[in-house]
């Protein structure tokens, strides 16, 4: 088995949504090697080959993979988190096993889809950016008519992880 | 002629009655109690080995891995699951998840968030019935139910005016699916059944029942106390919406463990609120499963033990365990039928039953027979009504009760043979 074990090491409530949790987990093995293959196969993954890290989502949950660690935000509870981790572990091991059939993709980023941008926004529909709702903001961000810095809530402490991902995504829009 | 040992046992037995100020045996059974006729003299001085045949109450022994897992958890981990952001607590949380996942594999449940832990199947059935049924609902059940199904239903009949249709089981026969289909009405909200009777061992035709329930869009609640871990149970194939299980019987785990699978979309009202580890800021119980139903510190030691037990079952394979049970059942049926004066209740075919046998021997009181089997032979069986008076009505033993013999995974043919030899000795001495 390529990745043998994933162990949750830290859990706390999601800052943006106290009903949900955020967590960190340690990986028993270095997964750097599999990242370009995941980048090539996982829809809407965001890959940074230099760092390296890879961000992806499972429904509403947002996950970032590092060589020996992962973070997840917006999991429902620990049972939910363990289930997603199981899914990830299987995805990683499966991708690794099939790597000879996959053309690795080392591209730093691909142009993200507006809905992908939307999924990382605070989704408060608070209109502080001057738009009617976050979806409109995401569409305008995509077309270059809006700037990330205009979403004020995103720059509060509560959305630190989401902000980092969006800043990374925004680079690919230019 | 009573042996010295039997006399001593008898005196102790009788002293107990006097203390309570009443005689347990009345009518025709009382004379046997006084004479203790079932105690065979030739057992005097003979070696007795312990043979545990009360696995329907709780299984014994447990797989070695169960003892080890509980010991390891209590000794080396010890933390409460999901409480606190330190490694040990998260490790404990991971162990609880592991058990959930193993149960998911056993019952073919993909999203294991839908499995919630309880302290036993009684709690699971109470939660399912009281959390799901509303004023005036109609429920279909059977006469073979354990009190853990029957009593909550009777309470709801009083408190919420639910209407109960009880499918008959004459002589402990399985329910008739056609009859079930006829009793389902537009207002029927639930079919609630045991998978197998803990009195007669009768298996219910769950597959047919599931299909009928699906056809009429009525959720199916199954009490798997006597089948989980012994009989292949696949919620998708059997179309089960609420699966209640207990950890300490066929699942081979410790007492104080159990659970309920709740199909997505079924609205069950939780009956307790409290701490869940996460989401502490909320004033309400979290909406998401399993936390919605798991207020209070979990029985982590028990759950860890249950996990080791389910792992053992999955390794052996439930199919193979059922084959072992069937072989033992067929052998027991054959042996018991050869004992003169023995009445065996329930199906005579291993295919139609689990390894739970209710018997009576001539007119010997069940309690006396169980007592003698234990005292003289070291064979442990249970006597009485086994918490299911309705089932005893079906087989005509509600006054007298039965002796219940229930082998488990670790019993052997030799032990069944020892039982049959003992019974023959008792009846012929
Ligand atoms: C069919 C059946 N249902 C329910 C129960 C109750 O089990 P527990 O005491 O573990 O809740 C039993 C066991 O006694 C049983 O055999
Ligand atoms: S400011 Fe941010 S959160 Fe508020 S509506 Fe605009 S995009 Fe949404």
């Amino acid at each position: 088995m390529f990745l043998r074990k994933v162990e949750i090491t830290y859990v706390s409530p999601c800052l943006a949504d106290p009903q949900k949790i955020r967590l960190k987990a340690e990986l028993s093995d270095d997964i750097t090697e599999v990242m370009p293959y995941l980048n090539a196969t996982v829809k809407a993954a965001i890959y940074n080959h230099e760092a390296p890290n890879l961000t992806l989502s499972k429904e509403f949950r947002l996950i970032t993979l590092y060589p020996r660690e992962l973070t997840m935000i917006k999991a429902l509870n620990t049972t939910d988190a363990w289930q997603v981790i199981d899914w990830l572990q299987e995805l990683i091991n499966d991708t690794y096993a099939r790597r000879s059939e996959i053309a690795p993709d080392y591209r730093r980023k691909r142009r993200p889809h507006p809905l992908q941008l939307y999924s990382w926004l605070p989704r408060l529909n608070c209109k502080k950016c001057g738009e009617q709702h976050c979806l409109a903001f995401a569409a305008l961000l995509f077309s270059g008519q809006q700037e990330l810095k205009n979403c004020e809530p995103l720059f509060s402490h509560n959305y630190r992880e989401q902000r980092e991902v969006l800043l990374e995504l925004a680079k690919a829009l230019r | 002629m009573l042996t010295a040992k039997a006399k001593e046992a008898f005196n102790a037995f009788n002293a107990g009655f006097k203390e309570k100020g009443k005689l347990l045996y009345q009518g025709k059974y009382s004379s046997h109690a006084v004479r203790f006729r079932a105690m065979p003299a030739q057992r005097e001085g003979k070696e007795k080995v312990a043979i545990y045949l009360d696995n329907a109450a709780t299984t014994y022994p447990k797989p070695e891995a169960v003892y080890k897992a509980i010991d390891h958890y209590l000794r080396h981990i010890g933390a409460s699951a999901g409480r606190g952001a330190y490694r040990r607590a998260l490790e404990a949380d991971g162990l609880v998840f592991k058990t959930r996942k193993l149960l998911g594999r056993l019952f073919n449940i993909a999203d294991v968030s839908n499995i919630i832990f309880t302290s036993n199947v009684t709690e699971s059935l109470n939660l399912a019935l009281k959390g799901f049924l509303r004023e005036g609902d109609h429920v279909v059940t059977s006469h073979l139910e354990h009190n853990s199904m029957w009593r909550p239903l009777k309470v709801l009949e009083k408190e919420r005016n639910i209407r109960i249709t009880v499918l008959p089981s004459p002589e402990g026969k399985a329910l008739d699916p056609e009859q079930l289909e006829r009793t389902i009405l537009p207002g029927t909200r639930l079919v609630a059944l045991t998978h197998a009777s803990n009195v007669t061992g009768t298996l219910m035709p769950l597959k047919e029942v599931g299909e009928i329930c699906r056809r009429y869009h009525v959720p199916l609640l199954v009490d798997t106390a006597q089948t989980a871990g012994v009989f292949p149970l696949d919620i998708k194939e059997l179309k089960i919406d609420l699966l209640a299980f207990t950890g300490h019987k066929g699942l081979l785990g410790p007492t104080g463990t159990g659970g309920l699978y709740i199909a997505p979309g079924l609205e069950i009202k939780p009956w307790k609120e409290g701490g869940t580890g996460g989401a502490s800021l909320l004033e309400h119980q979290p909406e998401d499963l399993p936390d919605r139903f798991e207020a209070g510190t979990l029985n982590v030691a028990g759950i860890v033990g249950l996990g080791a037990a389910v792992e053992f079952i999955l390794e052996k394979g439930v199919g193979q365990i059922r084959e072992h049970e069937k072989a033992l059942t067929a052998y027991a049926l054959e042996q018991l039928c050869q004992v003169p004066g023995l009445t065996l209740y329930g199906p005579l075919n291993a295919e139609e039953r689990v390894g739970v046998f209710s018997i009576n021997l001539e007119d010997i009181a069940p309690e006396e027979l169980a007592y003698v089997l234990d005292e003289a032979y070291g064979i442990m069986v249970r006597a009485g009504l086994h918490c299911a008076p309705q089932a005893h009505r079906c087989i005509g033993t509600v006054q007298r009760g039965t002796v219940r013999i229930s082998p488990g995974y670790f019993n052997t043919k030799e032990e069944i043979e020892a039982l049959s030899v003992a019974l023959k000795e008792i009846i012929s001495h």
Side-chain angles (χ1 to χ4, degrees):
Chain A
M1 199 184 289
F2 175 64
L3 173 58
R4 290 162 301 157
K5 199 170 170 194
V6 183
E7 222 177 318
I8 301 182
T9 54
Y10 175 80
V11 177
S12 74
C14 255
L15 296 166
D17 180 355
Q19 289 228 36
K20 301 207 168 90
I21 59 167
R22 57 210 268 271
L23 55 111
K24 257 189 201 166
E26 236 174 52
L27 312 182
S28 60
D29 303 272
D30 191 318
I31 61 163
T32 307
E33 192 188 340
V34 81
M35 285 188 187
Y37 298 94
L38 287 170
N39 189 34
T41 50
V42 175
K43 232 173 88 193
I46 308 155
Y47 181 45
N48 180 341
H49 185 59
E50 279 75 48
N53 63 46
L54 184 124
T55 298
L56 68 159
S57 58
K58 171 116 173 99
E59 286 121 36
F60 46 84
R61 308 160 193 93
L62 307 169
I63 304 145
T64 305
L65 301 174
Y66 302 91
R68 294 293 296 261
E69 191 181 88
L70 69 83
T71 61
M72 192 189 307
I73 60 174
K74 295 193 188 178
L76 295 175
N77 47 48
T78 52
T79 308
D80 182 55
W82 287 114
Q83 280 208 120
V84 174
I85 285 177
D86 264 7
W87 167 81
L88 267 172
Q89 192 178 354
E90 215 167 281
L91 174 76
I92 290 168
N93 283 328
D94 187 53
T95 306
Y96 183 79
R98 293 189 303 112
R99 69 192 181 287
S100 62
E101 308 154 24
I102 304 168
D105 185 351
Y106 296 94
R107 277 175 296 175
R108 190 180 155 84
K109 16 186 144 72
R110 282 178 281 175
R111 200 169 160 75
H113 188 272
L115 279 178
Q116 198 183 345
L117 297 169
Y118 171 70
S119 74
W120 293 87
L121 281 170
R123 298 204 269 183
L124 300 171
N125 298 325
C126 67
K127 303 185 187 167
K128 285 193 179 142
C129 55
E131 308 304 337
Q132 284 303 306
H133 36 66
C134 305
L135 196 57
F137 181 84
L140 294 167
L141 192 66
F142 178 77
S143 60
Q145 293 162 271
Q146 260 292 10
E147 281 183 83
L148 213 47
K149 68 174 190 330
N150 293 334
C151 172
E152 195 190 301
L154 186 66
F155 289 84
S156 70
H157 178 64
N158 288 358
Y159 296 97
R160 195 167 39 86
E161 288 110 336
Q162 283 164 252
R163 178 170 71 238
E164 277 166 22
V165 171
L166 275 167
L167 286 169
E168 192 67 32
L169 282 174
K171 288 185 197 160
L173 291 170
R174 277 187 242 118
Chain B
M1 240 294 281
L2 283 178
T3 64
K5 191 169 148 217
K7 252 185 217 152
E8 197 183 300
F10 167 68
N11 285 339
F13 196 66
N14 230 14
F17 295 136
K18 278 179 198 147
E19 245 168 27
K20 285 183 207 145
K22 60 170 184 178
L23 209 62
L24 188 65
Y25 303 119
Q26 285 170 353
K28 63 177 186 174
Y29 303 120
S30 61
S31 61
H32 299 307
V34 173
R35 280 194 286 115
F36 237 117
R37 81 159 227 210
M39 186 68 79
Q42 63 266 42
R43 287 302 295 172
E44 183 82 347
K46 276 198 189 167
E47 189 201 351
K48 69 175 192 188
V49 284
I51 300 179
Y52 184 79
L53 290 174
D54 194 15
N55 289 279
T58 196
T59 47
Y60 175 85
K62 308 296 182 188
E64 190 55 33
V66 174
Y67 306 126
K68 287 206 175 121
I70 296 174
D71 187 88
H72 179 262
Y73 165 74
L74 286 175
R75 211 179 286 279
H76 300 294
I77 304 175
S80 172
R83 309 291 206 266
Y86 53 98
R87 270 173 193 258
R88 283 270 194 88
L90 292 161
E91 193 179 344
D93 199 74
L95 291 174
V96 170
F97 176 72
K98 186 179 162 197
T99 302
R100 247 188 259 276
K101 207 167 96 174
L102 288 161
L103 287 162
R105 258 176 69 199
L106 186 69
F107 300 133
N108 193 21
I109 297 164
D111 182 354
V112 300
S113 305
N114 296 319
I115 301 173
I116 60 156
F117 287 116
T118 63
S119 52
N120 49 44
V121 74
T122 301
E123 192 181 313
S124 308
L125 291 170
N126 270 270
L127 170 63
L129 294 168
K130 293 175 182 167
F132 183 68
L133 293 171
R134 298 178 304 218
E135 186 72 22
D137 281 346
H138 176 232
V139 185
V140 181
T141 187
S142 88
H143 259 148
L144 294 184
E145 300 310 311
H146 187 272
N147 272 341
S148 53
M149 184 81 93
W150 188 244
R151 285 184 174 161
L153 282 173
K154 291 309 269 186
V155 166
L156 291 171
E157 188 178 43
K158 239 196 213 153
E159 291 179 356
R160 293 189 204 160
N161 299 306
I162 65 160
R163 288 166 302 128
I164 309 171
T165 300
V166 188
L167 296 168
S169 275
E171 290 157 38
K173 283 199 186 74
L175 67 82
D176 172 6
E178 270 179 34
Q179 199 167 12
L180 167 72
E181 189 159 5
R182 284 198 297 274
T183 58
I184 294 181
L185 307 167
T188 306
R189 193 121 183 287
L190 186 70
V191 171
L193 290 175
T194 187
H195 187 190
S197 162
N198 66 314
V199 175
T200 58
T202 313
L203 270 167
M204 291 297 199
L206 210 50
K207 193 150 170 51
E208 287 93 324
V209 169
E211 264 152 28
I212 293 166
C213 289
R214 216 26 83 83
R215 200 174 314 142
Y216 293 91
H217 303 285
V218 180
L220 171 63
L221 163 65
V222 183
D223 169 2
T224 67
Q226 292 300 337
T227 51
V230 183
F231 195 94
L233 278 165
D234 179 324
I235 55 140
K236 295 214 178 78
E237 197 191 316
L238 297 170
K239 305 186 171 60
I240 299 172
D241 302 287
L242 292 160
L243 183 146
F245 62 91
T246 212
H248 65 102
K249 299 186 195 252
L251 287 175
L252 303 176
T255 46
T257 58
L260 178 69
Y261 158 74
I262 304 173
L266 274 193
E267 190 46 45
I268 308 268
K269 205 172 151 342
W271 66 276
K272 56 177 179 180
E273 286 78 29
T276 48
S280 298
L281 265 178
L282 294 180
E283 289 198 354
H284 309 289
Q285 197 67 15
E287 286 295 310
D288 299 301
L289 269 67
D291 295 24
R292 181 171 158 80
F293 296 100
E294 288 183 352
T297 301
L298 287 172
N299 174 9
V300 185
I303 291 170
V304 164
L306 177 61
V310 175
E311 213 164 9
F312 174 88
I313 289 168
L314 289 167
E315 262 166 36
K316 298 281 168 206
V318 192
Q320 192 262 321
I321 292 174
R322 171 66 183 151
E323 284 312 310
H324 172 77
E325 181 191 53
K326 267 202 302 207
L328 217 55
T329 299
Y331 186 69
L333 287 170
E334 183 194 311
Q335 289 287 311
L336 290 172
C337 288
Q338 284 170 16
V339 178
L342 185 139
T343 309
L344 176 76
Y345 305 93
L348 291 173
N349 177 346
E351 203 62 54
E352 293 166 24
R353 57 147 64 236
V354 291
V356 177
F357 309 94
S358 260
I359 63 155
N360 268 312
L361 197 55
E362 282 196 344
D363 55 358
I364 301 170
E367 287 79 4
E368 184 183 336
L369 183 56
Y371 178 77
V372 170
L373 280 172
D374 186 32
E375 276 300 297
Y377 299 91
I379 298 174
M380 290 164 261
V381 296
R382 194 167 145 177
L385 293 181
H386 319 299
C387 305
Q390 303 299 320
H392 283 278
R393 286 208 176 87
C394 297
I395 57 174
T397 54
V398 74
Q399 296 298 329
R400 182 182 182 186
T402 59
V403 165
R404 186 180 70 181
I405 300 153
S406 51
Y409 183 72
F410 295 108
N411 285 115
T412 59
K413 277 190 175 176
E414 288 69 32
E415 288 171 326
I416 302 290
E417 198 183 340
L419 167 76
S420 117
V421 168
L423 290 170
K424 282 179 193 157
E425 236 174 78
I426 289 169
I427 203 64
S428 66
H429 86 99

